[in-house]
Amino acid sequence: VTASGFTEDIPNREKVGGPQPSSVTYIFDRQRDTVYSISTKEIPGIKDLPDYLKDYPKELEARKKANEDRKVDISGLYWNGDGKYAVVEVNSQDNKDRWIMKLNVPTGQLSLLDRERNEAWVGGPGTGNLGWTDNTHFYYETEESGYAHIYVVDVVNDTKKQLTSGRWEVQTLQLSKDKKTFYFTANMEHPGVTNFYRMPVSGGTPVKLTSM
């Protein structure tokens, strides 16, 4: 019963699958005095449809006929230390894909560094843990292996390296100020037990610091 005595609607989305707002990310080039958008058309898999649509033949057929790009949200603009490279995170609004993309700032074009696809839901521990270890290496977490682990990608040659692995997950992640060490919490010993670890940014065996 509300204070007014009447039914009152809460201003929120009724369902996760309900309509969501769309957005376009623009770049303002002060030197050229021009504005242009970041292009998402070349993102690998931008037209890929989620598997659940196979259970809804009419909707699947309509979506295939429309052949539209999926709606995405671009978050973050991560510049490296010398301002030569920029990286953005792109998430599909259907929550099936997350892309780490290198941004060509003068053109607004994107090139792929990493793609995570999950027919259930892209997310989980470590979402949002990403940044630069130096001017050419970008770190992030992904559940590509089925568990949330730390990866580093070289933005020059697009090669990536998995730094942690196993049937456990990195839950929180912090890069040291000198950018030489990762500090993180993980349930390495048991799914319900969290401990604190450190590891060089180049990888190696994590060292347990304390129990939590």
Side-chain angles (χ1 to χ4, degrees):
V1 178
T2 63
S4 67
F6 295 92
T7 301
E8 297 178 4
D9 293 330
I10 298 175
N12 205 339
R13 285 190 297 164
E14 295 180 357
K15 295 182 179 180
V16 172
Q20 300 182 55
S22 59
S23 63
V24 179
T25 302
Y26 290 88
I27 298 170
F28 172 48
D29 189 323
R30 294 185 300 170
Q31 294 181 337
R32 295 186 293 170
D33 190 26
T34 186
V35 177
Y36 48 96
S37 62
I38 293 179
S39 175
T40 60
K41 295 183 179 298
E42 296 79 19
I43 293 178
I46 192 65
K47 293 182 182 293
D48 290 354
L49 298 176
D51 285 353
Y52 75 81
L53 285 175
K54 295 176 182 178
D55 295 330
Y56 304 91
K58 291 184 178 180
E59 184 177 352
L60 177 61
E61 183 63 26
R63 294 277 292 273
K64 284 183 176 180
K65 186 176 181 180
N67 194 34
E68 295 177 343
D69 292 349
R70 284 184 291 159
K71 293 182 179 180
V72 299
D73 295 315
I74 299 175
S75 59
L77 180 56
Y78 302 91
W79 289 96
N80 70 337
D82 62 12
K84 185 177 181 180
Y85 298 107
V87 171
V88 295
E89 180 182 25
V90 184
N91 290 275
S92 62
Q93 287 195 356
D94 60 17
N95 298 296
K96 307 304 180 187
D97 275 286
R98 191 278 299 270
W99 299 270
I100 304 294
M101 309 289 292
K102 181 167 61 176
L103 172 64
N104 184 324
V105 179
T107 65
Q109 300 296 311
L110 297 172
S111 58
L112 182 67
L113 295 174
D114 182 81
R115 177 187 180 185
E116 179 183 357
R117 173 78 174 184
N118 191 323
E119 289 296 337
W121 193 279
V122 173
T127 302
N129 289 336
L130 65 175
W132 295 92
T133 60
D134 57 36
N135 283 332
T136 59
H137 292 87
F138 192 80
Y139 73 89
Y140 58 95
E141 277 196 57
T142 174
E143 292 183 320
E144 178 181 329
S145 68
Y147 295 85
H149 284 293
I150 308 169
Y151 291 71
V152 169
V153 61
D154 187 321
V155 301
V156 177
N157 57 30
D158 299 343
T159 58
K160 65 179 181 180
K161 178 182 179 182
Q162 184 175 354
L163 300 185
T164 59
S165 62
R167 297 173 64 86
W168 50 273
E169 298 197 306
V170 175
Q171 298 172 341
T172 62
L173 177 63
Q174 181 66 50
L175 180 64
S176 63
K177 289 185 177 181
D178 62 9
K179 296 190 174 183
K180 294 181 179 180
T181 307
F182 282 122
Y183 293 95
F184 62 89
T185 58
N187 55 357
M188 198 178 301
E189 297 179 353
H190 184 277
V193 177
T194 299
N195 295 316
F196 189 47
Y197 299 87
R198 75 164 182 263
M199 181 185 68
V201 294
S202 58
T205 302
V207 176
K208 180 180 174 181
L209 299 177
T210 183
S211 299
M212 299 178 65

